[in-house]
Amino acid sequence: MVVSYNSADVLPGALRALDASAQRAADRLTLPVPVVIVDNGSPSAGAVDAAGPLSALDVRVEHVGENLGFSRGVNHGLTVLPALDAVLLLNPDTVLDAAALGHMVDAMRSTGAALVGPLLVDETGAPHGASERPFHSLRRELQRQLAPCTIRTRPAGAEALATGRARALTGACLLVEAAFLNSVGGLDDEIAMYLEDIELAWQAHDAGRPVVLCPDARCYHDLGGSSEGANFESSDALHLTLLAARVEFVRRRVGGAGALSMRALFALGAVLRIVASALLRSRRRIQRHVTVLRWAISSGRAPAWPPA
């Protein structure tokens, strides 16, 4: 399933790669594989045609006429998909390696996992982005805001890379057992962005189900390709949405006091960064951190996306 919003430039490549990966895994799948593209109010039919012949896929475009967001888009897609053992959630700005789908299916069958994710890579094939990561917490946010240099940035934790046992996976490319997804009622419609995958992983752990990283499966992810080219550096709205997701996750685990504590940490971190940016005379960075400070004090909620 693909949820698309103004992704016509990247969607054909994602479909061609998925088709090639499905062909490679034909002995594990029933072909053609049903694919639903939930078109969130932006024309995608031309993009499907631009992908060319897709011999292993049966593609259906669902025009919903508005931007439902990712969670509601996925849930809408689930209502029109036929009965399946597993559902692949795939961003339109991803390109699966030819062997990736087969590796992920094998990993799900051999481990009984509720969720299986690939290793995200860049154009050169090197690990890129967060394929697997820890859950948000007050302790981790304290470290992130006050001592960010002590946080190691890596695509996945050592245990996940060595054993496959993962904490939270990325929703950019995620194979989900259909029975588990149905048991939790699909994705949480109340979540704006950047928390759906983490919440789903938490639910899997809570249910005692394995969450597995499959490093042999590789997936190129063009960060920002499914957000109209915006990214966390260029868009304050996206940046605040990411911060709001951390607040919401902690609120759900710890309660309102935890959410207020997260906002206080963001505010403190913003003040420190405003001072540092002023010393460096970086006007753009000062503006960004002032925006974060105001947001943390005033609401801590996710802004509307796309911004007006």
Side-chain angles (χ1 to χ4, degrees):
M1 184 189 306
V2 180
V3 177
S4 175
Y5 180 77
N6 287 344
S7 304
D9 291 343
V10 292
L11 184 56
L15 291 175
R16 285 192 292 268
L18 177 59
D19 186 64
S21 199
Q23 291 182 47
R24 180 82 170 264
D27 59 330
R28 306 167 179 84
L29 305 172
T30 300
L31 300 183
V33 175
V35 176
V36 172
I37 297 174
V38 180
D39 179 4
N40 265 345
S42 60
S44 297
V48 176
D49 295 337
L54 302 169
S55 60
L57 307 181
D58 178 15
V59 180
R60 169 178 177 174
V61 179
E62 280 286 305
H63 300 285
V64 295
E66 61 177 313
N67 187 0
L68 297 177
F70 185 71
S71 290
R72 290 174 63 201
V74 167
N75 291 342
H76 176 80
L78 292 174
T79 66
V80 297
L81 272 175
L84 299 167
D85 292 332
V87 177
L88 179 68
L89 306 182
L90 191 69
N91 275 17
D93 56 355
T94 56
V95 177
L96 276 176
D97 181 77
L101 188 55
H103 284 310
M104 293 171 70
V105 170
D106 287 343
M108 177 165 282
R109 290 177 177 173
S110 64
T111 63
L115 310 176
V116 176
L119 188 68
L120 299 182
V121 299
D122 61 17
E123 300 96 328
T124 70
H128 177 65
S131 304
E132 186 268 353
R133 56 203 185 280
F135 293 105
H136 303 308
S137 67
L138 284 168
R139 178 178 179 181
R140 183 167 179 79
E141 202 59 56
L142 179 65
Q143 182 182 13
R144 190 194 299 269
Q145 295 301 323
L146 302 186
C149 59
T150 64
I151 295 181
R152 296 180 60 186
T153 302
R154 51 190 179 184
E159 182 176 8
L161 289 172
T163 69
R165 290 194 294 270
R167 296 162 295 183
L169 298 171
T170 175
C173 178
L174 187 64
L175 187 65
V176 186
E177 183 194 69
F180 166 72
L181 191 56
N182 290 331
S183 74
V184 296
L187 298 186
D188 191 329
D189 285 349
E190 295 182 3
I191 295 173
M193 292 168 66
Y194 302 125
L195 182 56
E196 309 95 336
D197 46 7
I198 298 175
E199 186 72 19
L200 197 62
W202 182 274
Q203 290 173 312
H205 286 292
D206 195 45
R209 298 296 306 282
V211 176
V212 172
L213 176 71
C214 184
D216 291 335
R218 300 294 178 102
C219 179
Y220 166 67
H221 186 207
D222 178 17
L223 293 172
S226 58
S227 300
E228 298 187 274
N231 57 50
F232 299 127
E233 287 300 316
S234 65
S235 169
D236 286 348
L238 277 182
H239 181 67
L240 294 181
T241 299
L242 179 64
L243 301 187
R246 297 182 201 163
V247 173
E248 176 61 14
F249 183 84
V250 170
R251 184 193 68 78
R252 292 180 176 209
R253 310 282 95 80
V254 184
L260 285 174
S261 298
M262 288 287 284
R263 289 169 57 187
L265 288 173
F266 286 130
L268 178 58
V271 169
L272 296 176
R273 288 169 174 78
I274 289 169
V275 172
S277 298
L279 294 175
L280 296 173
R281 298 183 179 180
S282 174
R283 180 174 297 179
R284 166 60 185 152
R285 302 309 299 176
I286 292 174
Q287 292 173 341
R288 161 62 63 86
H289 302 314
V290 167
T291 298
V292 172
L293 178 60
R294 289 173 175 168
W295 165 84
I297 293 173
S298 64
S299 74
R301 293 189 297 271
W305 181 263

